[in-house]
């Protein structure tokens, strides 16, 4: 069975500090990977997607970056956090075929103070 | 840019009642609709998907799709307190990269005893 593990579960960080969030997908070879962001009470906004190792496409510019160093790992980071970065970050995966279900991880709750 | 509009923003339903949620896409290339349910503080879970005109039923949940008007609706009958959640509609373009979903703002459903 496929599992998706996100870390950390929650973070409280200061404005201007760096951030690194990660997720790992086990049990599925070469999945498509995604990062989504959700403001409190808001909709899901896709930030990045990746269809293969080393290749990441940006969907929305939020002063964040993403990398896929391994087939099963996706990292979201920034060198300087803004207050507007607060929210719920969700890593997700899907099969590489078109129009299939997207499965979400449990998410990371980020509070920037 | 594609927009997905959901209505109503919020809905209060008595236990045992029917909840009806609506979703429309502005993109004529959309072919696939997904309904996700997100309980407070949790990640979204796929509830139902629909690709063809007509109706699909799974237990207490029924989803309709009218491809000509790009409108989908979700109906929950015999609503239970556990159905209280944010319901997100997502649309995907024809032949689009799997997982490149555009989400609506969601409908917050509250089931009261």
């Amino acid at each position: 069975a496929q599992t998706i593990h996100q870390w950390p579960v929650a973070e409280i960080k200061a404005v201007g500090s760096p951030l690194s969030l990660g997720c790992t997908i086990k049990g599925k070879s070469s999945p498509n990977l995604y990062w989504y962001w959700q403001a409190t009470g808001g909709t899901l906004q896709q930030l990045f997607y990746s269809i293969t190792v080393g290749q990441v496409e940006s969907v929305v510019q939020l002063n964040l970056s993403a990398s896929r160093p391994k087939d099963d790992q996706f990292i979201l980071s920034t060198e300087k956090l803004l207050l507007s970065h607060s929210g719920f970050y969700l890593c997700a995966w899907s099969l590489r075929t078109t129009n299939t279900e997207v499965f979400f991880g449990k998410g990371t709750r980020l509070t920037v103070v | 840019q594609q927009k997905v509009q959901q209505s109503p923003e919020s809905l209060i339903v008595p236990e045992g009642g029917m909840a009806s949620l609506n979703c429309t896409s502005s993109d004529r290339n959309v072919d696939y609709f997904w309904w996700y349910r997100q309980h407070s503080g949790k990640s979204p879970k796929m509830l139902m998907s629909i690709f063809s005109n007509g109706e699909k039923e799974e237990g207490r949940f029924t989803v309709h799709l009218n491809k000509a008007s790009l409108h989908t609706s979700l109906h929950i009958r015999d609503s239970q307190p556990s159905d209280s959640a944010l319901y997100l509609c997502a649309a995907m373009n024809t032949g689009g990269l799997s997982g490149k979903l555009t989400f609506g703002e969601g409908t917050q459903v509250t089931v009261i005893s």
Side-chain angles (χ1 to χ4, degrees):
Chain A
Q2 302 82 25
T3 58
I4 175 168
H5 173 60
Q6 269 191 257
W7 73 90
V9 171
E11 280 263 51
I12 300 175
K13 303 277 280 187
V15 168
S17 63
L19 174 77
S20 182
L21 306 179
C23 83
T24 302
I25 293 85
K26 296 296 182 190
K28 184 54 67 177
S29 178
S30 302
N32 288 346
L33 298 177
Y34 314 90
W35 278 110
Y36 282 84
W37 172 75
Q38 186 178 35
T40 303
T43 189
L44 287 166
Q45 173 71 66
Q46 192 175 87
L47 301 176
F48 298 94
Y49 68 90
S50 171
I51 61 172
T52 192
V53 174
Q55 202 174 355
V56 176
E57 299 294 330
S58 172
V59 178
V60 172
Q61 288 294 332
L62 280 181
N63 293 309
L64 296 166
S65 60
S67 64
R68 187 170 178 176
K70 301 180 190 176
D71 186 54
D72 64 353
Q73 195 174 74
F74 209 17
I75 307 294
L76 182 72
S77 60
T78 183
E79 292 185 3
K80 270 190 173 181
L81 278 166
L82 306 171
L83 283 174
S84 57
H85 286 136
S86 292
F88 196 37
Y89 288 84
L90 291 151
C91 180
W93 73 271
S94 71
L95 295 174
R96 297 191 73 174
T97 51
T98 58
N99 305 316
T100 60
E101 181 180 349
V102 173
F103 298 90
F104 288 89
K106 292 188 176 180
T108 296
R109 178 78 53 192
L110 174 67
T111 304
V112 182
V113 296
Chain B
Q1 188 176 353
Q2 181 194 164
K3 258 189 99 64
V4 175
Q5 302 268 33
Q6 286 189 248
S7 64
E9 283 185 18
S10 61
L11 193 56
I12 296 176
V13 185
E15 187 174 353
M18 170 82 86
S20 294
L21 291 66
N22 297 293
C23 171
T24 304
S25 170
S26 63
D27 186 345
R28 304 284 337 158
N29 291 319
V30 162
D31 258 69
Y32 294 80
F33 286 91
W34 308 81
W35 285 94
Y36 280 80
R37 181 165 73 177
Q38 186 178 23
H39 287 106
S40 181
K42 305 292 186 186
S43 61
K45 295 279 191 293
M46 202 271 285
L47 197 57
M48 291 187 75
S49 60
I50 189 160
F51 315 137
S52 306
N53 263 331
E55 178 182 299
K56 186 174 166 184
E57 183 178 331
E58 289 179 8
R60 297 183 294 108
F61 300 89
T62 302
V63 64
H64 293 266
L65 175 61
N66 181 327
K67 293 185 93 168
S69 59
L70 296 175
H71 177 261
T72 179
S73 57
L74 174 69
H75 306 273
I76 309 170
R77 62 176 169 81
D78 189 23
S79 296
Q80 302 298 308
S82 59
D83 294 327
S84 296
L86 180 68
Y87 288 78
L88 293 159
C89 174
M92 190 182 293
N93 287 356
T94 303
L97 173 71
S98 189
K100 274 191 69 66
L101 297 169
T102 300
F103 282 87
E105 296 284 334
T107 294
Q108 185 67 51
V109 174
T110 304
V111 180
I112 54 173
S113 303

